[in-house]
Amino acid sequence: WQLGKIDQGVFAYWMVSHYFKKELTYIGFGGKGKQVRDLLHIDDLVELVKKQLVKINDYKGTVFNAGGSVQSSLSLLETTTLCREITGNVVNVSSELKNRPADIIWYITDNSVTEQEFLWKPQKMPKDILTDVFTWLHANEQVFKQLWKT
């Protein structure tokens, strides 16, 4: 239920912006869209939680990383390409060269301990995840039209 608002996840935001043909901006790091993030499908997270629930008391108080890791990561530029392919829409993407203080250029979750402990790895790849976001968005278009005032 990330609703594609700017503060609720870059991948949902990017897809919603393409779906409703709203302009985007590559911010910072030269304005080229080279920032990288990993993405995790909810189905993959649910599979991990199911594995953890089997022995929940054994893990009490233990923290495990869960993210898309290297295998499920994208730059904003790559995300733009996939969103265009999935939606069939091309939106204008401008560039803002100046970095913002809290922005980082690269974030990939280290799942190594989680993968080893639970014999788990994310299965959904970025194109699958973005396609599922598109499908969910399309099925709930009227709600999103109200949120995005389109």
Side-chain angles (χ1 to χ4, degrees), residues 11-134:
F11 297 107
Y13 177 71
W14 228 251
M15 179 56 75
V16 170
S17 296
H18 276 82
Y19 190 90
F20 288 118
K21 300 177 185 173
K22 302 286 185 177
E23 291 189 5
L24 290 163
T25 304
Y26 296 139
I27 300 172
F29 308 105
K32 297 181 189 228
K34 298 289 182 131
Q35 301 94 311
V36 174
R37 301 291 182 273
D38 67 355
L39 59 164
L40 181 67
H41 196 285
I42 187 65
D43 291 348
D44 287 329
L45 180 59
V46 167
E47 286 306 311
L48 174 60
V49 171
K50 285 179 184 178
K51 288 177 175 274
Q52 292 173 328
L53 287 173
V54 173
K55 297 186 262 166
I56 195 167
N57 289 329
D58 293 352
Y59 303 110
K60 188 175 185 178
T62 307
V63 176
F64 293 96
N65 291 337
S69 71
V70 173
Q71 70 216 27
S72 183
S73 62
L74 291 173
S75 69
L76 290 178
L77 184 60
E78 292 168 317
T79 305
T80 299
T81 299
L82 283 174
C83 287
R84 287 175 175 175
E85 180 182 321
I86 293 165
T87 65
N89 296 333
V90 175
V91 301
N92 183 49
V93 183
S94 61
S95 295
E96 185 176 310
L97 303 180
K98 188 176 179 186
N99 296 348
R100 297 179 299 187
D103 285 346
I104 58 173
I105 194 159
W106 190 78
Y107 178 82
I108 302 293
T109 305
D110 178 2
N111 291 337
S112 56
V113 173
T114 308
E115 290 176 6
Q116 184 177 31
E117 184 66 31
F118 298 101
L119 303 175
W120 169 88
K121 277 190 177 197
Q123 300 301 305
K124 302 273 187 165
M125 293 297 104
K127 185 173 183 180
D128 302 320
I129 296 168
L130 290 172
T131 298
D132 284 354
V133 171
F134 172 81

